[in-house]
Amino acid sequence: LTERNLQLRKRAKTRNSRDRRDAATKVRYRFEPDPRLAKPPRFSGTIEAIKIGPQKKTGAYVAAVIYRVRRDKLTDRTKTIIYSHGNATDVGAMHFISSVLARSCNVNVVMYDYSGYGASGGIPLEANTYRDIKMVYKYTVEQVAGGDESNIVVYGQSVGSGPSCYIASKRKNVGGLVLHSPFMSGMRVLTPSRALACLDIFPNVDRIKNVQCPVMVIHGQ
């Protein structure tokens, strides 16, 4: 574990340095989907690859892909989905579902990678996922949703339910919360016992009590 931790810290340092250099020289990014993945239905809007940051405490930049509705289809009620994906994937692998959501629902979609995932810098830690979504949420309000939080829907799938519940419990004006295959908490996935509560992560069951916006839960048996 110590060796793995050192490797992650070394990689984070390298990526943070690269992203700072890119930001200073105003490097622009382009999203190129993996041709081996299923091709989604054509999306008529724009697809923009960006890095959001730096995060004040860690210095990390978060990789994100924004699917924007065409200007002639925008209205004052156009929604923007901030999608926190599940484990073992990234913004590239989520291209199909992002395109389908944006096209079929006529919404903007902000798909991002957590620290340490995909092309994002930083280290994959619970605390960093909270910092990530706070940074992404702020950017989305200012740069995508026109300053109107009520037009933002936070969508969390699996492990993404953790940061999604967190931000929804903090932002009282958010428009909605979708929880796709969420868990009560990290430890409760393994056992209902509270003996190890001090080691628990992503306590969704506690935070959901503080969420004031409409909530939709999608789950199977």
Side-chain angles (χ1 to χ4, degrees), residues 139-150:
Y139 180 91
T140 303
V141 170
E142 297 174 353
Q143 303 296 328
V144 185
D148 188 350
E149 290 186 61
S150 68

Side-chain angles (χ1 to χ4, degrees), residues 92-112:
M94 296 299 290
H95 174 53
F96 187 96
I97 188 62
S98 299
S99 297
V100 169
L101 278 174
R103 183 176 185 269
S104 61
C105 299
N106 195 43
V107 296
N108 303 311
V109 175
V110 178
M111 182 72 68
Y112 72 100

Side-chain angles (χ1 to χ4, degrees), residues 70-87:
R70 264 181 17 210
R71 288 185 178 275
D72 61 315
K73 291 189 175 183
L74 285 173
T75 71
D76 292 339
R77 301 184 66 183
T78 298
K79 305 301 181 185
T80 296
I81 294 175
I82 299 177
Y83 200 121
S84 297
H85 59 65
N87 195 21

Side-chain angles (χ1 to χ4, degrees), residues 31-52:
F31 178 62
E32 291 286 347
D34 189 329
R36 295 172 296 179
L37 298 176
K39 190 174 181 179
R42 183 176 178 274
F43 172 56
S44 63
T46 61
I47 302 176
E48 176 187 5
I50 63 169
K51 291 285 184 75
I52 302 172

